[in-house]
């Protein structure tokens, strides 16, 4: 049975995330639904108990070490995306959210747990500290789904990752100082906190230094570097927790932040490896989390449990956000969005379950064993409710506030030559969001003079992905004069826009076996037509052709358009309502009445033999120069 269960969980995780992608729903929501359904037929505790001879407690003892290690990997991967440059805009907001905001959340949640659930003050403070966390297991997929503006995305991403170790450490301090005999000792609490932070900082920095030296000095081959980073993160996490409880989360978070911001070793391949692993782990963890939820235990909380959840969503999080963000650069719309996005994730579940077990072990001494089950049930109810609520509400709210676009149709142009600017201008005038990037200042200046958003930046640099405002941008077109630069740009942005959203001009050399052609795996979807290279488009425009947007109707169909402009017209885009379609070699478009076609239309018929009528045999010198020239 265990074999089949282990195979079933990741399969359900992939299926849930695929269905969510197809239905444009948050993946976490579908994962929890799949998990709850699975739990009605088979729970992981039952499977593990069957393997261990019927021991009912073996499920928890086996699962939570695995969950803890998985959370460590997810935090490590998430922290690899934290760039210190993002703190120029979001630093003050992040610091306030993880300090002032955490205190406000903890104290208000403590009061709510005591009022609504009638918990003792000590247990209320414990659940208040646990529920200060949000977590990258939920925040990261939601941000990927919503795609808000850069500043708000950076703020929530940093908060979600940094608050997890803070909340876990806070819960440990509350448990040790309030729930364990003897009575509270402030000096002991301060010493415990200092020890936890120190161990996390030292081991995190040591692990990062070791990995940087291994990569920089080529002590390990490339194919082992991802596995080595994973092993270092897990070993550091375990050693850190052994020395100081819950300091492991600080260790792996700092480990990732240092690696992400150092300049001595290239870690891009590590990030790609960890992202795939994170997707698998999140899918499996939330299937397991959902399958362990007992619907009856949640129902037993009744209306008091509902009251707690509503108070968390409608009062505590908005109050925490507005109090902590007062005086920051965030405007009122961004503060409102932050105030309505605080889902709890796997860290809250793991920490609550661990402390529930400890409360059961202390039953004889504390008499609080009856608090263990309600503690876990209340935490799981908050997780399920907040994931569902924020998963459904945060996307529409971001769009209403103008912080995100439901289906971004904008285009990022890698290159800003004359014909690219003319094409972008036509699209811009027809309501399509565009952004041009190039290293040639004169080209960028000309684009801005034409009223086009443009940045003088290298498309292959980190700044192009992290600092350029890509709000409303959903696809990238590599249209520089250099085929190799286009291919590299495609590789840089494929992760951001996915393979379906990156395009490039056809190569100058079409022969598959030509030694000058880049490898096939470096190519993206080919724009417009196999013969319409950069050179040919440039020469055609130089011969008098123009980019033209034409509205089709029942009286003027696409066939009529072709009759008017001839076969030399090149269909490039079709605007259908709010959807922009790109004409490619692999997917030719068939415009319908009511749509707008954007095409390259010759001013006069091009005579046979003219340079623009076919691909020139000789390549001009300007075509072989990268955009950085």
């Amino acid at each position: 049975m265990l074999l089949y269960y282990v195979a079933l969980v990741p399969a359900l995780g992939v299926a849930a995330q695929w269905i969510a992608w197809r239905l444009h729903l948050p993946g976490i929501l579908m994962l929890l639904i799949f998990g709850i359904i699975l739990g009605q037929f088979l729970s992981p505790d039952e499977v593990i108990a069957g393997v261990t001879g019927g021991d009912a407690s073996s499920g928890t003892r086996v699962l939570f070490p695995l969950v803890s290690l998985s959370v460590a990997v997810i935090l490590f991967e998430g922290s690899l995306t934290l760039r210190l440059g993002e703190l120029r805009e979001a630093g003050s907001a992040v610091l306030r959210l993880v300090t002032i905001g955490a205190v406000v959340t903890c104290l208000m949640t403590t009061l709510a747990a005591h009022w609504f659930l009638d918990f003792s003050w000590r247990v209320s403070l414990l659940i208040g500290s646990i529920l200060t966390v949000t977590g990258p297991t939920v925040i990261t997929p939601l941000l990927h789904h919503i795609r808000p503006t850069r500043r708000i995305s950076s703020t929530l991403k940093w908060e979600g990752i940094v608050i997890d170790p803070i909340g876990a450490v806070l819960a440990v301090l509350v448990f040790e100082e309030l729930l364990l005999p003897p009575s509270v000792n402030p000096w002991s609490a301060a010493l415990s906190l200092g020890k936890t932070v120190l161990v996390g900082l030292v081991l995190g920095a040591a692990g990062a230094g070791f990995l940087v030296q291994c990569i920089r000095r080529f002590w390990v081959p490339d194919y082992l570097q991802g596995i080595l980073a994973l092993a270092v993160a897990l070993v550091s996490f375990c050693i850190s927790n052994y020395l100081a409880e819950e300091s492991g989360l600080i260790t792996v978070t700092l480990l990732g932040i240092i690696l992400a911001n150092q300049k001595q070793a290239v870690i891009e391949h590590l990030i790609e490896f960890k992202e795939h692993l994170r997707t698998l782990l999140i899918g499996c963890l939330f299937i397991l989390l959902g399958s362990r939820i007992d619907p009856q235990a949640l129902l037993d909380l009744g209306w008091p449990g509902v009251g707690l959840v509503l108070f968390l969503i409608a009062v505590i999080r908005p109050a925490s956000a507005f109090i902590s963000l007062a005086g920051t650069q965030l405007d009122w719309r961004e503060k409102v969005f932050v105030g309505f996005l605080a889902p709890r994730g796997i860290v809250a579940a793991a920490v609550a379950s661990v402390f529930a077990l400890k409360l059961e072990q202390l039953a004889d001494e504390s008499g609080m064993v009856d608090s263990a089950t309600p503690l876990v049930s209340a935490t799981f109810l908050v997780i399920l409710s907040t994931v569902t609520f924020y998963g459904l509400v945060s996307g529409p709210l971001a769009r209403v506030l103008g912080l995100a676009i439901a289906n971004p149709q904008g285009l990022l142009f890698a290159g800003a030559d004359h014909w690219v600017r003319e094409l972008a201008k036509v699209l811009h005038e027809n309501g399509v969001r565009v952004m041009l990037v190039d290293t040639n200042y004169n080209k960028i200046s000309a684009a801005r003079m034409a009223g086009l958003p443009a940045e003088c930046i290298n498309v292959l640099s980190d700044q192009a992905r992290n600092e350029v405002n890509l709000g409303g941008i959903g696809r990238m077109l590599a249209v520089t004069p250099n085929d190799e630069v286009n291919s590299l740009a495609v590789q840089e942005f494929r992760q951001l826009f996915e393979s379906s959203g990156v395009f490039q001009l056809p190569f100058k050399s079409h022969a598959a076996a030509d030694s000058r052609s880049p490898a096939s795996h470096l190519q993206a979807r080919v724009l417009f037509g196999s013969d319409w290279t950069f050179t040919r488009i440039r020469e055609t425009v130089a011969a008098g052709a123009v980019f033209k947007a034409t509205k089709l109707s029942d009286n003027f169909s696409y066939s009529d358009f072709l009759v008017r402009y001839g076969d030399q017209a090149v269909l490039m885009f079709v605007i259908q309502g709010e959807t922009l379609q790109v004409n490619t070699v692999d997917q030719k478009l068939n415009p319908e009445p009511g749509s707008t076609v954007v095409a390259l239309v010759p001013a006069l018929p091009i005579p046979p033999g003219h340079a623009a009528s076919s691909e020139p045999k000789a390549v001009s010198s300007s075509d072989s120069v990268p955009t950085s020239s």
Side-chain angles (χ1 to χ4, degrees):
M1 181 60 72
L2 180 62
L3 175 65
Y4 302 113
Y5 190 83
V6 170
L8 179 62
V9 168
L12 288 176
V14 172
Q17 294 182 80
W18 180 81
I19 292 174
W21 171 72
R22 293 292 297 176
L23 298 179
H24 301 288
L25 293 172
I28 298 301
L29 180 59
M30 292 303 300
L31 287 168
L32 278 177
I33 292 174
F34 272 48
I36 292 173
I37 295 174
L38 175 62
Q40 304 312 301
F41 300 96
L42 189 65
S43 73
D45 298 81
E46 294 173 353
V47 174
I48 296 174
V51 175
T52 58
D55 184 357
S57 65
S58 60
T60 302
R61 294 202 307 269
V62 172
L63 279 176
F64 281 100
L66 297 178
V67 169
S68 296
L69 291 175
S70 299
V71 170
V73 174
I74 292 170
L75 271 180
F76 175 50
E77 188 281 329
S79 61
L80 285 172
T81 66
L82 298 180
R83 303 287 180 175
L84 294 178
E86 296 173 335
L87 295 180
R88 286 196 295 269
E89 287 185 321
S92 176
V94 172
L95 179 61
R96 288 168 174 260
L97 283 170
V98 300
T99 52
I100 300 174
V103 172
V104 172
T105 299
C106 179
L107 295 180
M108 294 186 70
T109 305
T110 299
L111 294 174
H114 181 69
W115 290 339
F116 287 101
L117 300 179
D118 199 27
F119 284 173
S120 68
W121 283 111
R122 291 187 294 174
V123 175
S124 296
L125 186 56
L126 178 61
I127 194 172
S129 61
I130 292 172
L131 293 180
T132 57
V133 304
T134 53
T137 56
V138 192
I139 288 291
T140 302
L142 279 178
L143 292 178
H144 181 74
H145 173 73
I146 300 169
R147 297 185 68 178
T149 55
R150 184 179 67 241
R151 181 165 65 182
I152 200 67
S153 179
S154 299
T155 300
L156 289 167
K157 181 176 66 174
W158 271 87
E159 182 205 10
I161 294 173
V162 174
I163 197 66
D164 269 358
I166 291 176
V169 171
L170 180 60
V172 170
L173 291 177
V174 168
F175 183 82
E176 291 181 347
E177 300 304 322
L178 293 184
L179 299 178
L180 291 180
S183 58
V184 179
N185 184 344
W187 294 109
S188 174
L191 181 62
S192 178
L193 175 61
K195 177 183 177 182
T196 300
V197 173
L198 181 62
V199 169
L201 294 178
V202 171
L203 288 182
F210 174 72
L211 281 174
V212 168
Q213 292 303 314
C214 288
I215 297 172
R216 186 173 72 88
R217 297 180 183 275
F218 308 103
W219 288 346
V220 293
D222 289 356
Y223 71 90
L224 283 180
Q225 289 179 4
I227 303 298
L228 175 65
L230 176 63
V232 169
L234 293 178
V235 171
S236 300
F237 173 80
C238 293
I239 295 175
S240 186
N241 273 353
Y242 176 78
L243 296 176
E245 190 172 5
E246 297 303 333
S247 64
L249 296 180
I250 299 177
T251 297
V252 294
T253 301
L254 183 64
L255 174 60
I257 292 175
I258 294 176
L259 285 176
N261 292 278
Q262 53 80 35
K263 303 298 182 183
Q264 300 180 47
V266 178
I267 63 165
E268 292 300 321
H269 53 298
L270 300 184
I271 296 175
E272 183 177 359
F273 168 73
K274 295 297 184 299
E275 284 179 341
H276 294 162
L277 186 59
R278 180 202 65 189
T279 302
L280 174 64
L281 289 176
I282 288 178
C284 294
L285 285 177
F286 274 92
I287 291 290
L288 291 173
L289 173 65
S291 64
R292 298 189 80 249
I293 293 176
D294 182 3
Q296 186 57 50
L298 301 184
L299 293 175
D300 289 342
L301 293 174
W303 289 110
V306 175
L308 173 65
V309 171
L310 293 178
F311 197 73
L312 277 168
I313 293 174
V315 178
I316 295 178
R317 176 61 178 186
S320 171
F322 277 92
I323 291 174
S324 58
L325 296 177
T328 64
Q329 295 181 350
L330 272 63
D331 59 34
W332 70 268
R333 298 174 306 145
E334 293 169 320
K335 292 175 182 177
V336 169
F337 185 68
V338 172
F340 282 92
L341 187 61
R344 273 63 174 185
I346 197 70
V347 173
V351 173
S353 299
V354 167
F355 287 125
L357 288 176
K358 292 183 177 181
L359 286 176
E360 292 178 1
Q361 294 170 0
L362 292 171
D364 295 336
E365 301 175 11
S366 64
M368 292 187 297
V369 65
D370 293 338
S371 301
T373 299
L375 173 69
V376 175
S377 298
T379 304
F380 276 41
L381 177 63
V382 169
I383 292 170
L384 182 61
S385 302
T386 56
V387 166
T388 303
F389 176 81
Y390 293 122
L392 295 176
V393 172
S394 56
L397 177 63
R399 294 188 284 273
V400 168
L401 294 173
L403 300 175
I405 297 177
N407 186 20
Q409 297 292 304
L411 300 175
L412 171 66
F413 286 90
D417 285 79
H418 171 71
W419 72 261
V420 177
R421 299 194 299 270
E422 293 298 314
L423 174 59
K425 184 177 180 180
V426 172
L427 292 168
H428 183 65
E429 291 172 349
N430 283 271
V432 178
R433 169 91 162 88
V434 297
M435 171 62 72
L436 282 66
V437 296
D438 200 299
T439 55
N440 189 305
Y441 181 78
N442 292 330
K443 296 176 183 178
I444 295 301
S445 178
R448 290 176 176 174
M449 289 292 291
L452 299 173
E455 295 288 345
C456 188
I457 200 169
N458 190 334
V459 71
L460 304 180
S461 66
D462 290 337
Q463 288 79 8
R465 287 179 297 172
N466 300 325
E467 298 183 11
V468 174
N469 183 10
L470 298 179
I473 301 294
R475 283 162 287 190
M476 192 276 288
L477 275 60
V479 289
T480 76
N482 188 289
D483 291 338
E484 286 71 26
V485 170
N486 289 342
S487 293
L488 289 173
V490 163
Q491 301 309 307
E492 286 294 307
F493 284 89
R494 179 169 281 158
Q495 182 181 11
L496 181 61
F497 297 120
E498 299 186 353
S499 298
S500 61
V502 290
F503 307 82
Q504 69 183 112
L505 293 170
F507 296 142
K508 299 181 184 70
S509 175
H510 305 295
D514 195 311
S515 61
R516 295 172 296 173
S517 298
S520 58
H521 70 276
L522 298 178
Q523 304 176 25
R525 303 177 67 183
V526 179
L527 289 166
F528 314 140
S530 58
D531 294 328
W532 285 97
T533 63
F534 180 94
T535 302
R536 186 175 182 187
I537 296 176
R538 184 187 62 190
E539 297 298 339
T540 302
V541 172
V546 295
F547 297 101
K548 183 177 179 63
T550 305
K551 181 76 171 181
L552 302 181
S553 65
D554 293 332
N555 298 325
F556 187 79
S557 65
Y558 184 59
S559 299
D560 298 325
F561 175 86
L562 292 178
V563 169
R564 171 175 294 186
Y565 294 107
D567 294 337
Q568 293 175 338
V570 182
L571 177 63
M572 294 184 164
F573 303 96
V574 174
I575 305 173
Q576 182 72 49
E578 297 183 354
T579 302
L580 176 70
Q581 299 173 318
V582 184
N583 195 36
T584 61
V585 171
D586 65 307
Q587 189 175 1
K588 292 293 184 181
L589 301 180
N590 185 23
E592 298 179 354
S595 62
T596 299
V597 298
V598 177
L600 178 61
V601 178
L604 295 171
I606 301 175
H610 190 277
S613 64
S614 61
E615 178 65 20
K617 295 182 179 180
V619 178
S620 63
S621 58
S622 61
D623 293 329
S624 61
V625 180
T627 55
S628 58
S629 62

